[in-house]
Amino acid sequence: MPSSWTLVALSLVAIAAAPLLALALQRRPALAAGLDSFVIVSVGGVVALHVVPHSAQVVGTLAFLAAVAGLLLPIALHRVDHALEPAGHATARTVRNLIVYTLLSFGLFVHALFDGAA
């Protein structure tokens, strides 16, 4: 089993390579769509087959409710945001973007707290 430092080094390499991969995939939309699909299925599989069952053992049925909320809440928020998107007003769009980025940063902060605590 690799050491913790090896895993940290590999994650840093992946983070550094991501912008280069994104730049390369801009020229190949079919490959980008395939990689995107692979990642969605892989992450979904890990969550459905490992994270949720383990969480259910630790927490109980509340883990399933949290998983459903984690799946449906972003979809609902995206639809509401799209429906409320201001058309043509630069100031309204700037305010909307500020609110969205603030909420996104707060959500990422809370996620990191829970992830670190786990």
Side-chain angles (χ1 to χ4, degrees):
M1 180 164 209
S3 72
S4 296
W5 290 109
T6 304
L7 295 175
V8 169
L10 287 173
S11 67
L12 291 175
V13 168
I15 289 172
L20 299 174
L21 182 61
L23 185 64
L25 290 176
Q26 282 181 343
R27 297 184 198 126
R28 296 183 178 89
L31 186 58
L35 183 61
D36 191 35
S37 299
F38 171 75
V39 169
I40 289 171
V41 169
S42 298
V43 170
V46 168
V47 168
L49 298 175
H50 180 68
V51 175
V52 173
H54 179 71
S55 299
Q57 284 180 341
V58 173
V59 179
T61 56
L62 188 61
F64 291 112
L65 294 174
V68 169
L71 177 66
L72 297 180
L73 188 61
I75 294 169
L77 289 175
H78 177 71
R79 289 184 180 175
V80 168
D81 180 53
H82 184 68
L84 297 177
E85 183 176 9
H89 294 63
T91 305
R93 207 171 320 124
T94 302
V95 170
R96 177 188 152 272
N97 287 346
L98 180 64
I99 292 169
V100 167
Y101 291 141
T102 302
L103 289 173
L104 187 99
S105 298
F106 179 72
L108 201 57
F109 174 74
V110 170
H111 180 274
L113 283 177
F114 283 123
D115 197 34

